[in-house]
Amino acid sequence: MLKVDELRVSVGGKAILQGLSLEIRPGEIHAMMGPNGSGKSTLAHVLAGRAGYEVTGGSVTYQGHDLLAMEPEERAWAGLFLGFQYPVEIPGVNNVYLLKAALNAGRKHRGEPEMDSISFLKLVREKAALMQIDDSFLSRGVNEGFSGGEKKRNEILQMTLLEPKLAVLDETDSGLDIDALKVVANGVNSMRSADRSFLLITHYQRLLDYIQPDYVHVLAEGRIVRTGDKQLATQLEADGYDGILAEAASL
Amino acid sequence: MNTAGLEKVWRDRPADWLQPAREKGMADFLDTGFPDRRSEAWKYTDAEPLADRSQAYLKTTPVALDSAQLPTESGDSLPILFVNGRLAPGQMLPAAPGLQVASLNEAPSERQAQILSRLASFPGRPREDLSALNAAFISDGLWIELAPDTVLEKPIEILFSSDGAQAAAQPRIIVSVGADSQCKLIEHYSGSGAGLVNAVTDIHCDHDARLEWLKLQLESTDSLHVALQNLSLGRNSRARLVQIELGSQLSRNDLQANLAAPGAHVDVYGLFLADGQAHMDSRLEIQHQAPNTTSQESYRGIAAGQGRGIFNGKIIVQPGADGTDAKLSNRNLLLSSTAEIDTKPELEIYADDVKCAHGATTGQLDETALFYLRSRGVDAAQARAMLVRAFAADIVTQIPLERLRQQVETELSARLARDMETDTP
């Protein structure tokens, strides 16, 4: 699905990712944990194709394609989804309008017929109910005046609608109360399948109480310093990043 | 600029009942000629194309073709069609209780003195606008009078169409809204070819009147368009004005609103799109002449391609106009490196105890929002167009008629789709 090989990325001349390697196979859920400034969000943005990041070395292969050569929308058409840490408010662009444009853009590029308005509205209402998003939110501007939790649920709503092959969720759990966290986790769990993969980027172990990862990685100073299973997250919760990093340094 | 040619053309015209107004107009015009860039009001706009085309086209009196397709009452408005600045042959004028409408070329004799008096007292500024030239060469127009206590449900929609002829349309619209009356007026400019429009619209609202006024300018890209909108508001009267300027290669719109008596209020919403080679120049002057008058102006400009936009908004608070509350905001969007917008919001305050605010911004599309849309699979051109439409939406949603709102949205979408393909920022 995704192979990141010795990826090096700079922002404004400062090296952020310093030889990061990661392989995600179909159906797997990977958690990427790490302290602030370790490069977690940079990884998410580079995978989605945001401008302003300079790739200075390494490669990223997604389903056999050179991901870094693709435009952000091409990545979306190919089934990559980024759940934003800070979803953007876009007043004047209607939420449903964006969802429909996004869904049909993907279908068009995969050679599938576009969905008509009636089927689309039925589908989006179903998915919104699952995410406990009120219908009235659908007709508002994209994320306009949404609370932090509503924005994150809206991200997951978009994900369930677009049915990506690989979803990168950047700190989707941050700023959520426990109820919202469960709703978000349910959304992710309902999407689990043998041919769909997830990269959960998170600062806290809490999310992993609700979503069982196959692998947990610890990112520090732009490299993965530890990889393990769910136990690693538990250990992190107990010892903190300092303990793990000290242990990694002594190896 | 040489005006002798125009003077001869004017002298050779057959005289009609408007002659006193035409004479005053011609005298005022000859005093100053066409404006030039030494005038602050024309600092950014070269009037020479207007002068050239006026001299070329005014030689012939415009003709409205018989073949013009008369509008049928679509149900949501009372349409009146002008072709090349003249009332279309066979056009019936709307009739309703309390409403009087007459064409200027065929005004009943008992109305003529009243119309001439309004023309004589029109507050034109020969150095700044082309209203004197309009008066000299009025091609046709309307007198619209709403009696006191009259509510006109349907808007009067004046359709100014150019049929592609090299015609100089010089329409003059004169409106009186009686005390406690309510009406909606739409000026809807469209057409084909390299025409010239020099329009003047003059509206007086008596006390406690309510007016909604929409100007929709969708002329062809080869045309030149100049318009002066004059609004005078009586005690406790309220007006809401929406201006949408999307057409012409050179468009110049002046709005002068006079809040002439206590309690008068005006809202102004404006939008222009200057794309391709278009040059859009919009001016507002809001005069607070009496105590406790209030106004709110919200104007947005978009420039793409090699387009050039100019916004000049001035709020003047006259001595004694205490309790004035005025807010002027202008936001502009530049969509290409070759587009340009000049904005100048101004306040002139000669009274104490006033609340005035003004602000202007010019920026580009939000890169974060653009990335967000693209990350969802919306391609770059479509994402840019979505954000521009969102920027325009605050003004477009103010259009009082659903049909016209949709027409503007469709036009904007088509134009932006084209602009986004040709412009790479």
Side-chain angles (χ1 to χ4, degrees), chain A residues 71 73 77 82 97 155 158, chain B residues 371-372 374 376-377 380 389:
Chain A
E71 296 291 337
E73 55 269 36
W77 302 334
L82 171 64
Y97 178 76
E155 293 292 287
Q158 294 179 8
Chain B
F371 173 64
Y372 187 80
R374 293 177 73 191
R376 297 301 178 250
R389 286 205 306 273

Side-chain angles (χ1 to χ4, degrees), chain A residues 15-93:
Chain A
I16 306 291
L17 297 183
Q18 307 183 52
L20 185 145
S21 297
L22 171 72
E23 182 162 11
I24 300 178
R25 286 175 289 266
E28 290 178 353
I29 296 190
H30 290 241
M32 184 68 69
M33 304 184 69
N36 290 331
S38 58
K40 301 189 301 285
S41 283
T42 296
L43 175 63
H45 286 146
V46 168
L47 291 178
R50 186 170 189 158
Y53 296 88
E54 193 194 350
V55 176
T56 55
S59 65
V60 180
T61 312
Y62 171 72
Q63 295 188 319
H65 299 287
D66 177 4
L67 186 72
L68 301 178
M70 295 160 79
E71 296 291 337
E73 55 269 36
E74 293 174 321
R75 301 179 196 206
W77 302 334
L80 182 81
F81 178 88
L82 171 64
F84 281 59
Q85 182 181 3
Y86 302 110
V88 185
E89 291 196 28
I90 314 181
V93 175

Side-chain angles (χ1 to χ4, degrees), chain B residues 353-406:
Chain B
D353 186 25
V354 300
K355 265 172 42 188
C356 287
H358 71 313
T361 60
T362 299
Q364 291 163 354
L365 288 177
D366 178 358
E367 285 300 322
T368 314
L370 206 52
F371 173 64
Y372 187 80
L373 296 175
R374 293 177 73 191
S375 78
R376 297 301 178 250
V378 179
D379 70 49
Q382 199 191 348
R384 286 165 59 81
M386 262 187 204
L387 293 180
V388 183
R389 286 205 306 273
F391 175 81
D394 283 353
I395 306 300
V396 175
T397 50
Q398 297 293 333
I399 295 175
L401 215 60
E402 176 63 22
R403 167 174 57 89
L404 297 175
R405 195 156 57 231
Q406 278 178 14

Side-chain angles (χ1 to χ4, degrees), chain A residues 87 95 131-134 137 140 143-157 175-176 180 184:
Chain A
N95 219 5
M131 294 312 299
Q132 299 180 13
I133 290 175
D134 192 83
F137 279 66
R140 304 224 316 240
N143 292 318
E144 188 181 1
F146 287 23
S147 71
E150 286 159 353
K151 284 179 184 169
K152 297 300 177 73
R153 277 187 277 152
N154 196 35
E155 293 292 287
I156 302 302
L157 168 67
L176 292 187
V184 163

